[in-house]
Amino acid sequence: MNFLLEIEGVVEEIVFTNESNGYTVCELNCNNNQITAVGYMPFINVGETLKVTGKWVTHPDYGMQLKVEMYEKVLPQTIDSMEKYLASGTIKGVGPATASKIINKFGEEAFNILSTCPERLAEIKGISIEKAIKIGQAFNEQKVLREVVMFFQKYGISPAFSAKIYRTFGDRTIEEIKANPYRLADEVFGIGFKVADRIAMSLGIDPASEYRVCSGIKYILWNAASNGHTFIPKDELIQYSSRLLSVDIQNIDNSLAALVMDGSIRVEKDGTNSNIYLSTYFQSEMYVAKKLYELSAVKFKACEDDFAEKIDKIQKQENIVLADMQKEAIKEALSNGVLVITGGPGTGKTTIIKSIIRLLHNDGCRVALAAPTGRAAKRMAEATGYDARTIHRLLEIGYMQDDEEPIFTKNETNPIDAEAVIIDEMSMVDIVLMKHLLKAVSVGTRLILVGDSDQLPSVGAGNVLKDIIKSGMIKVVKLTEIFRQAGESMIIVNAHRINRGEYPFLNVKDKDFFLLPRKNADDIVRTIVELSCKRLPASYGYDPLKHIQILAPAKKGITGVESLNIELQKALNPYSDLKNEKNSHGFTFREGDRVMQIKNNYTLRWVRDSDENIDGVGVFNGDIGTIRKIDNEEQTVTVLFDDDRKAVYDFGILDEINPAFAISVHKSQGSEFPVVILPLFPGPPVLMTRNLLYTAVTRARDLVILVGQEAVLAEMIDNLREANRYSSLDEKLKKCGEIL
């Protein structure tokens, strides 16, 4: 039985499929004989007719199987198989009920109608002309998509990514990529230079071609930006490029010159060295430095006597007593065009913000409040009692054709209508977002930047808050005093102890900071699941999905984010016949799952769940919500975010969301959760740092529980390692002071 067989049959059942690589186990009906076929057969569905070529093999557990080496889809010929095909979910907008109506109406002509004159589907009750045309388009797309999948499969690109490439380039995908494979790296999220390069090499493109080298250089710079750098020193860039491309330095120098000429990169002299920027980051740093200096040059009068009276009035209105440092911060906010207020938890930042707002309101000034994420904005609004928005919403994000950079309606010609703008959680703001913010702030408007400079830096490129402070060109008030009420919290006390390199107080009776020692990874995971599902809900009434957040230092490993999400889903949202599911990028999403947006999508529409007349556009990196509905017929997933926005995702962009029962500490920035649980298990030193531990602890409002090895806790406190970021906003600010 070692010879190749060719068999044609109808897919009766799909037993298993791996969406990441297309490996499938299915049952085929071949002339009323059922066989099990196994192999790489991406995008097949129940009801489809397959022509498969393969060999018989014997599985020790499952018996005789046909190991498929090649396959092709054959459009069903019988009425029954046609209906099964249409009902399988292959065609967007067609489910079992619609499939039955189409077959009943058109019979054997159904596929011809779908392909050549889909508008006739509108003859069926319940199908509009718009829906009819969309169904026809989806039907015809399947043929092209199959060709695209087969083309990319030989280059090791998964069916899921093939589908994504097809959505980017359309019916001419294969022709476009053959003409310029490097467009994959430039235009498709998740496809890197190396994949594009592999295709280019197979098509015979010269390894030393200028286009290839230019594309490789841009890839290195984009990759650096994704790791927080705004530039790379030229010497390092040449080293990276030489290793990646295997070309000589002269080729690299020539390509750098070409990229400078076409405006893709900028070169900045740094003494005897040069720094290489992607143009967008160079321009962003230059603009931010210049605008900050211009804003800071404006000074406002704050009469001492008048100020004292205003402070007394605020204290009476708010029923508070302000400390000297808080009064100083308020005075500086009123006196300076730009002020940075920085300090750890419990140092009174919120009280200062509230007092500034109240004081400015008393003077008839309009104040705009914003934060980088929806959760941070919501927390800011709750803490101050004043309306706060995300920075993107403050800038009124608009529609755009691509999502490389957002379009905002608030800008230099249409600035924010306020006398003061206050931004919280400034450590999260990257250089590009800062540029867009400053474009919308008029000179003469107070800008107050509030944040904790000891937190992890922004996910995006730049080191904005630290660079501003480091420059010495902007007025900074650093808060150090912990106030009495905050001092009663072990979370606050321990956060500051950790930040100073001191060991935290653990397991103090009737307090809020605990360590549960566990030696091995399996015990850590088991304890975390038990705490989330049983112990904390039973003892304290916490809702495991709304109040408890697991933060993990690493993505991989038994105690990493990916593994924890699988285990927590099993416990918190197990499989049910009543819940729809969808497999995507290695995870089975289920209705009721917690999810997080992992990239900025500037074009995704949303509506308010509480009032669908209120809508907008844009869902952003770090937004957390719950899957409300999975519609396999329409091929959509509806997510209700925690700030009451509801967005509908096409299956094709599900790689933009990840499960969020557990999230990384980096992704938790700007958020606050009632309960934080953190696994402590050995990991890479670059991750297991004091900075990361401090950030994790400060995300908790009511309770911190560390689960794992106490030795790891000590190692993290001692590990001062911080990833060095290449950024030069501080130097550009200093130069502005020298020039202007």
Side-chain angles (χ1 to χ4, degrees):
M1 292 195 184
N2 205 28
F3 51 88
L4 287 173
L5 297 170
E6 187 176 272
I7 293 174
E8 187 172 305
V10 179
V11 180
E12 292 286 328
E13 182 186 359
I14 295 176
V15 180
F16 168 80
T17 187
N18 183 336
E19 288 205 359
S20 64
N21 61 16
Y23 185 81
T24 302
V25 179
C26 66
E27 300 293 330
L28 292 180
N29 186 333
C30 309
N31 298 319
N32 294 320
N33 292 317
Q34 194 139 309
I35 68 167
T36 301
V38 301
Y40 294 95
M41 296 176 283
F43 292 142
I44 68 169
N45 292 278
V46 172
E48 290 185 307
T49 300
L50 303 183
K51 187 182 287 184
V52 298
T53 303
K55 298 176 181 178
W56 289 110
V57 296
T58 303
H59 191 280
D61 296 323
Y62 304 113
M64 194 75 76
Q65 299 178 335
L66 186 71
K67 187 177 180 181
V68 176
E69 295 187 5
M70 292 185 296
Y71 85 102
E72 63 177 301
K73 293 186 179 184
V74 181
L75 282 179
Q77 303 298 315
T78 68
I79 291 289
D80 184 54
S81 62
M82 290 168 75
E83 184 172 342
K84 281 185 177 178
Y85 173 77
L86 292 176
S88 67
T90 303
I91 311 301
K92 185 175 182 178
V94 180
T98 305
S100 179
K101 290 177 183 177
I102 293 171
I103 295 298
N104 288 339
K105 175 71 176 177
F106 299 109
E108 293 179 353
E109 285 296 304
F111 282 12
N112 185 49
I113 296 289
L114 284 162
S115 181
T116 61
C117 46
E119 64 275 5
R120 287 197 59 193
L121 296 179
E123 296 172 17
I124 300 170
K125 187 177 179 181
I127 300 181
S128 67
I129 187 69
E130 292 81 10
K131 185 173 181 178
I133 291 169
K134 283 182 179 178
I135 290 172
Q137 288 172 340
F139 182 82
N140 287 320
E141 280 175 0
Q142 287 300 309
K143 181 175 180 295
V144 182
L145 180 57
R146 287 196 292 272
E147 294 172 358
V148 170
V149 168
M150 300 308 291
F151 173 79
F152 284 112
Q153 198 172 31
K154 58 181 179 270
Y155 300 112
I157 296 177
S158 72
F161 267 121
S162 297
K164 188 164 189 169
I165 294 166
Y166 171 72
R167 283 188 295 274
T168 302
F169 297 103
D171 292 349
R172 287 185 50 79
T173 294
I174 295 173
E175 292 88 339
E176 296 283 349
I177 298 309
K178 281 183 175 179
N180 182 2
Y182 296 103
R183 289 183 67 186
L184 288 172
D186 295 339
E187 299 179 40
V188 184
F189 174 67
I191 300 280
F193 171 82
K194 291 181 180 179
V195 172
D197 197 45
R198 189 163 66 245
I199 296 172
M201 294 298 97
S202 73
L203 295 172
I205 288 177
D206 181 1
S209 72
E210 187 175 277
Y211 194 90
R212 177 178 181 259
V213 179
C214 286
S215 187
I217 290 169
K218 286 193 289 184
Y219 162 74
I220 292 167
L221 290 168
W222 280 117
N223 196 51
S226 70
N227 288 313
H229 307 291
T230 58
F231 68 84
I232 300 179
K234 184 178 178 180
D235 291 346
E236 289 188 31
L237 180 63
I238 288 173
Q239 288 177 18
Y240 293 143
S241 301
S242 183
R243 282 202 299 270
L244 176 70
L245 302 165
S246 299
V247 295
D248 60 42
I249 292 175
Q250 189 58 52
N251 284 104
I252 298 169
D253 279 334
N254 292 341
S255 295
L256 284 171
L259 288 168
V260 171
M261 290 295 291
D262 73 15
S264 296
I265 67 171
R266 295 292 295 266
V267 180
E268 185 178 54
K269 288 287 184 182
D270 182 17
T272 58
N273 300 316
S274 296
N275 298 328
I276 312 297
Y277 292 77
L278 286 166
S279 288
T280 187
Y281 295 111
F282 179 81
Q283 290 160 1
S284 293
E285 281 197 346
M286 290 295 291
Y287 185 90
V288 169
K290 185 174 180 293
K291 190 62 177 284
L292 278 174
Y293 187 81
E294 289 174 353
L295 290 168
S296 68
V298 178
K299 302 297 180 184
F300 299 88
K301 291 182 180 179
C303 174
E304 290 284 349
D305 296 335
D306 189 41
F307 178 74
E309 289 174 15
K310 288 177 177 179
I311 286 292
D312 287 341
K313 185 177 179 181
I314 292 295
Q315 291 183 131
K316 289 173 183 174
Q317 286 176 332
E318 299 291 334
N319 194 27
I320 56 173
V321 177
L322 293 164
D324 289 343
M325 185 61 75
Q326 291 176 308
K327 291 176 183 177
E328 181 191 340
I330 297 166
K331 185 177 181 181
E332 295 293 353
L334 298 179
S335 305
N336 290 276
V338 183
L339 175 69
V340 173
I341 301 172
T342 183
T347 55
K349 295 191 297 292
T350 300
T351 301
I352 291 169
I353 293 172
K354 285 173 69 176
S355 300
I356 291 169
I357 298 168
R358 176 61 71 97
L359 202 152
L360 288 168
H361 278 181
N362 289 346
D363 285 348
C365 297
R366 296 180 301 276
V367 183
L369 278 69
T373 67
R375 294 184 73 92
K378 186 180 179 184
R379 184 156 62 91
M380 189 183 190
E382 290 170 348
T384 63
Y386 295 92
D387 180 54
R389 291 171 282 178
T390 64
I391 296 173
H392 291 87
R393 286 197 66 208
L394 176 68
L395 300 178
E396 297 179 4
I397 189 166
Y399 293 95
M400 54 188 308
Q401 293 302 310
D402 59 58
D403 62 356
E404 288 302 318
E405 272 208 42
I407 291 175
F408 297 107
T409 58
K410 292 294 183 184
N411 50 39
E412 288 154 316
T413 57
N414 181 31
I416 297 164
D417 185 18
E419 279 79 38
V421 175
I422 303 176
I423 306 297
D424 198 12
E425 295 288 352
M426 262 301 299
S427 62
M428 297 181 66
V429 178
D430 61 49
I431 192 68
V432 174
L433 185 56
M434 190 66 178
K435 175 193 70 176
H436 287 295
L437 171 67
L438 293 180
K439 279 187 173 182
V441 179
S442 301
V443 175
T445 299
R446 292 179 177 88
L447 179 64
I448 301 159
L449 308 175
V450 185
D452 184 350
S453 59
D454 293 318
Q455 298 279 357
L456 291 169
S458 61
V459 174
N463 213 354
V464 176
L465 181 60
K466 284 187 177 179
D467 276 359
I468 291 172
I469 295 170
K470 186 179 174 184
S471 75
M473 301 301 294
I474 304 297
K475 182 66 181 180
V476 177
V477 175
K478 185 172 178 63
L479 306 171
T480 55
E481 183 182 352
I482 303 173
F483 293 95
R484 184 185 60 79
Q485 194 172 359
E488 294 170 0
S489 163
M490 280 296 114
I491 296 172
I492 303 293
V493 170
N494 283 338
H496 286 274
R497 289 182 66 85
I498 290 166
N499 202 32
R500 294 192 299 267
E502 300 169 6
Y503 205 74
F505 298 118
L506 300 172
N507 302 338
V508 178
K509 189 179 178 182
D510 298 326
K511 292 294 183 179
D512 51 17
F513 199 105
F514 298 93
L515 169 69
L516 302 183
R518 300 291 186 273
K519 289 185 178 180
N520 62 66
D522 289 332
D523 284 345
I524 291 171
V525 173
R526 199 161 28 250
T527 301
I528 288 172
V529 171
E530 186 186 349
L531 284 166
S532 303
C533 298
K534 297 177 181 177
R535 291 171 61 179
L536 291 176
S539 300
Y540 300 96
Y542 288 120
D543 184 321
L545 296 178
K546 292 180 180 178
H547 301 142
I548 302 170
Q549 185 61 61
I550 288 72
L551 305 181
K555 291 181 181 178
K556 304 293 184 181
I558 298 175
T559 62
V561 170
E562 293 176 1
S563 179
L564 282 168
N565 271 314
I566 292 169
E567 296 304 314
L568 287 160
Q569 186 196 45
K570 290 177 187 175
L572 295 170
N573 190 31
Y575 171 81
S576 168
D577 288 335
L578 302 175
K579 294 181 178 181
N580 291 328
E581 297 181 342
K582 171 61 184 172
N583 290 316
S584 181
H585 56 283
F587 189 80
T588 301
F589 290 98
R590 186 174 297 139
E591 289 172 347
D593 278 351
R594 295 286 282 168
V595 292
M596 171 182 275
Q597 179 77 12
I598 61 167
K599 74 180 288 272
N600 289 335
N601 185 325
Y602 300 110
T603 59
L604 187 62
R605 288 194 61 79
W606 53 263
V607 298
R608 287 280 176 217
D609 190 53
S610 56
D611 184 356
E612 295 197 354
N613 292 316
I614 301 174
D615 62 359
V617 64
V619 180
F620 306 109
N621 191 357
D623 288 348
I624 296 178
T626 302
I627 294 178
R628 175 172 281 187
K629 182 181 180 182
I630 297 176
D631 190 327
N632 287 306
E633 180 173 320
E634 293 296 327
Q635 299 181 12
T636 58
V637 174
T638 301
V639 177
L640 176 61
F641 290 99
D642 292 348
D643 60 2
D644 197 46
R645 291 174 303 149
K646 184 170 65 182
V648 179
Y649 290 75
D650 185 270
F651 279 180
I653 59 169
L654 285 186
D655 58 342
E656 293 187 8
I657 60 171
N658 274 353
F661 298 102
I663 62 175
S664 69
V665 177
H666 285 82
K667 288 291 188 184
S668 74
Q669 288 174 262
S671 297
E672 184 181 73
F673 310 97
V675 181
V676 164
I677 302 175
L678 183 74
L680 294 177
F681 194 72
V686 69
L687 289 176
M688 311 302 286
T689 65
R690 181 190 299 178
N691 191 218
L692 184 136
L693 178 64
Y694 172 76
T695 300
V697 166
T698 55
R699 298 307 90 204
R701 189 181 69 227
D702 301 334
L703 185 63
V704 169
I705 302 178
L706 311 176
V707 183
Q709 300 177 10
E710 193 166 353
V712 172
L713 174 62
E715 288 167 7
M716 291 181 77
I717 293 169
D718 291 339
N719 184 1
L720 278 171
R721 183 171 179 172
E722 277 188 52
N724 181 41
R725 287 194 167 190
Y726 289 125
S727 65
S728 63
L729 176 61
D730 56 332
E731 293 300 323
K732 289 182 174 64
L733 267 167
K734 289 176 186 175
K735 286 180 183 175
C736 284
E738 295 168 2
I739 297 169
L740 300 177

